[in-house]
Amino acid sequence: MRTSIQLTVALGAAIVASQPVLADDPLEEVVVTAQKRSERLQDVPIQVDVFTAQSIADSGIKDTSDFVGYVPNMTFDRADTYRNSFVVVRGLAQVTNADPPIAVIVDGVPQVDQKQFNMRLFDIDQIEVLKGPQGTLYGRDAIGGAVIINTRNPTNQFSGYADVTAGNGDSVNTTAGISGPIIDDRLLFRLSADYLHSGGLIENSYLQDKTDFVHYDYTTRGRLTFVASDDWTVDVRGSFGRFSGASNEYSWIKSANANDFVDPTYSFYPNATGESTDAAIKVDGDLGFAKLTWINGYNRITEVDRADLDFSNPVQDPGGFLNFGFQGGQGQDLNDEIYSEELRLTSKSSGPLRWVGGLSYQYSQKSLQTRAFIDLDGSPSQIDNPALVIVDNNVRNHYRSTGFFGQADYDFLPTLTLTAGLRYDRDVREQRDLAGGNFYNATFVATQPKLTLTYKPSRDQTFYLTGSSGYRPGGFNATPVSPTYKSEYVRNFEAGFKSTLLDGQFVVNGALFYENDHNYQYYYVDVATASQIDQNIDRVGIKGAEIETQWHPTSNWLFFANFGYSDARIKQLDSLPQYIGNYTPNLTPWNGALGTEYRAPLVGDLKWYGRIDGQLYGRKYWQIDNMDVQDAKQYLNARLGIENSRWGAYLWGRNITDTRAYSQYVSPSLGVGVAGIGFLVEPATYGVELHVNF
């Protein structure tokens, strides 16, 4: 933390010493769609973090982990398979192979599979992160909030861009896009693509290879917008991607110390391959009294994973898997198809009464086969040899979800607004256990109310009190060891404010909140049965706060500082009462980010740009017993370049102090044998980036 603050202050002091004070200039006024209508960010009674297209470029955001690092009370960890990720928001955590704790919406289409949130981000217009339960408008899974990602729209003028980034570890990332009219003012198109390759940076001394390689990860995207009239628009989007990269690159930690950071030494070469296909049709129309929006979405995700199971090798651990005398391997085959639909009406924004209402439907069919096998020669094909398979879990899931929602704002006074909302969700879930011959089915029902009182004494001041709710349905584990887990329900009480000061130069937003969570969902690993098991904590209490500031002292200089605190404690756990009072698993009670960026004339039309920021994390509590705790961590990032309106060239670095940490740690007490295992975070990365607009 000290290093990050010192470097930030040093850069600021250097700028002050070398540059004249420029004329005052207010911060850019940001518009968001958090409440499914366009509103000023500072008017919305929700804590929202916004990343515009410009801020995404300035901070070098390329994937999900890059932007989450700047959001208070939110963490994002890579672990397990190539596409897997674990997000924690306001103390609410991701459980594996189940619903996320936050709704993710891309161009209006919900991304409900855990593997969809870990995505490449390119040709993005804006990202909005809403915190606190948002179930009324976004339905199931929005218990911790919602992430709204909008890609760039087609343009009526011909334009394009290309970007090439090269870094250490033989990494190359290229992205490009082109847009323009097919028929002026009527039919517009946009095409874009992204490609990533990396040789890796983390060494496996046993295999004498890198463990975090990416052979390829590419996505192509196309959009067509048909402007039928001044009142009606049809937007069609489709994308396709493939990937092949490292998977389950865990370190074997003989000391079983969560702060002993060692490189992986497993003996089985890990790899995951897969595809993603997305399609969406959106219709917007003006009915006079309201705007109609109809969105149809389709997603398909596949992933075939092969990896080590014991994460050791015959030299280090002659006893092998669980001391049974052999090396173990694992594999997982996933195929998930998701259909979604939403139909809503949104009233005009003028007038004292504003409302939105609609219905949604989702259908998913998901197959997941997980196997453990005896590893004799390190070949992936061993998983198909029945004589070597020791665990075979094979399930087919069918999910059907229906929701009805409505929310209304009414201005009792020009300064006082009451917001009331209600949603009803019904989830029907079925699982067929093909290996064990079992069948499970259940129906989960929830109502999610919301009530907010907003006071705006002026355009630049907003104060609010809110009570909101969220839920994510229960489900079935892909193992007969513990086949079911319950739905989780959250009730949130929050007081917040948004304030713009110094003629728009300084913004400070913050909130205090308390959440009462019933049937808190968490997971643990049972390596003996090759199972990741989701279970419930009877009751959890979460209290916390967050504050976010931006200061724009001159026309091209910005400071920011964000901080979040979430105290999530187990209040009731009848099956394991000894853990009452503990932190919930995977919790980092506090985190923050601070930094500064500056632009100034260089020569001619050229400008120079500099940015330095730090991301700060408190101690991390891995398991429910709180016995394994990772020390506090700090990460330092920097970016420096020259640019004009047509091109830019930059030097960049992330985690430039090479902080060592695990993004997931599993104790041997949970069944992994004689050692702990940990998934290392990305080490120091640095490189160059070239960008061209045309």
Side-chain angles (χ1 to χ4, degrees), residues 177 289-290 314 317 472 552 556 606:
F289 71 97
D317 185 21
R472 56 176 162 177
H552 209 243
N556 48 9
L606 290 179

Side-chain angles (χ1 to χ4, degrees), residues 542-553:
I542 306 171
K543 57 185 177 183
E546 51 208 20
I547 188 165
E548 305 180 43
T549 64
Q550 290 189 47
W551 179 36
H552 209 243

Side-chain angles (χ1 to χ4, degrees), residues 1 67 79 85 150 152 167 188 190 192 222 224 274 280-281 316 330 340 408 410 433 549 554 569-570 618 646:
M1 185 187 298
F67 79 81
S85 62
N150 291 313
R152 290 180 180 174
L188 316 177
R190 189 173 195 94
S192 56
L224 282 175
I281 300 175
Q316 276 183 300
Q330 64 171 308
S340 64
Y410 184 72
D433 177 5
T549 64
T554 66
R569 302 272 186 168
I570 299 172
R646 299 179 303 279

